[in-house]
Amino acid sequence: QVLLVESGGRLVQTGDSLRLSCTASGGTFSKYFIGWFRQTPGNEREFVGVISRSGEMTRYADFLAGRFRMYRDKRKKTVYLQMNSLKFEDTAVYYCAATEQPWKEDSEQYNYWGQGTQVTVSS
C-alpha cells in the first residue's frame, strides 16, 4: 500500500505557472504508474496525465495542448505536475493517484489516492 500526499496548490493569475507535487510513502514507489486527475464541483474526476514507473514516458489529456508536464524524482519518491499558461478553466482540485496497471486514464483503475490540492486561477 502506498500513501500519496499532494501539495503546491494555491491561487494564481491567468497565464501563471504552478508546480504541484505528489509525494509517496509506505510502499514501493517504483511499482506504480502515477496519474494526475482534476475535479470541479458537480463533475467527475478528469484525467490530466500519467507517468510511467521509470519516469521516462508520459501521456497527457489532449485538451492540455502541451501546457502541462509531469516528471518523476525517484530519490524523493515524488511526481511533479508542472502547469504553464494557466487558464481560468484549470481551476479544480488536483489529485494524484497510483496504479500498477499501465497507462490508465480511467480513475476507477487507480487504487491509491491523495487528498487533493486546490488550484484556483483568477481571470
Side-chain angles (χ1 to χ4, degrees), residues 2 51 87 89 120:
V2 62
I51 191 165
K87 304 176 181 181
E89 50 265 39
T120 303

Side-chain angles (χ1 to χ4, degrees), residues 37-93:
F37 293 80
R38 67 187 189 183
Q39 189 172 26
T40 53
N43 295 306
E44 296 184 354
R45 288 185 183 178
E46 178 181 47
F47 171 75
V48 172
V50 58
I51 191 165
S52 65
R53 297 184 185 98
S54 67
E56 294 178 359
M57 293 185 289
T58 52
R59 184 177 294 172
Y60 301 98
D62 291 340
F63 67 83
L64 292 176
R67 295 186 298 118
F68 291 8
R69 183 174 71 89
M70 296 174 65
Y71 57 101
R72 189 164 186 152
D73 186 327
K74 297 177 186 178
R75 184 177 60 85
K76 294 183 178 180
K77 295 186 178 182
T78 298
V79 169
Y80 301 97
L81 178 66
Q82 176 67 44
M83 305 187 293
N84 300 319
S85 303
L86 282 163
K87 304 176 181 181
F88 174 75
E89 50 265 39
D90 293 320
T91 296
V93 177

Side-chain angles (χ1 to χ4, degrees), residues 24 27-33 52-54 72 74 77 99:
T28 305
F29 184 58
S30 60
K31 287 175 55 177
Y32 300 103
F33 280 72
S52 65
R53 297 184 185 98
S54 67
R72 189 164 186 152
K74 297 177 186 178
K77 295 186 178 182
T99 179

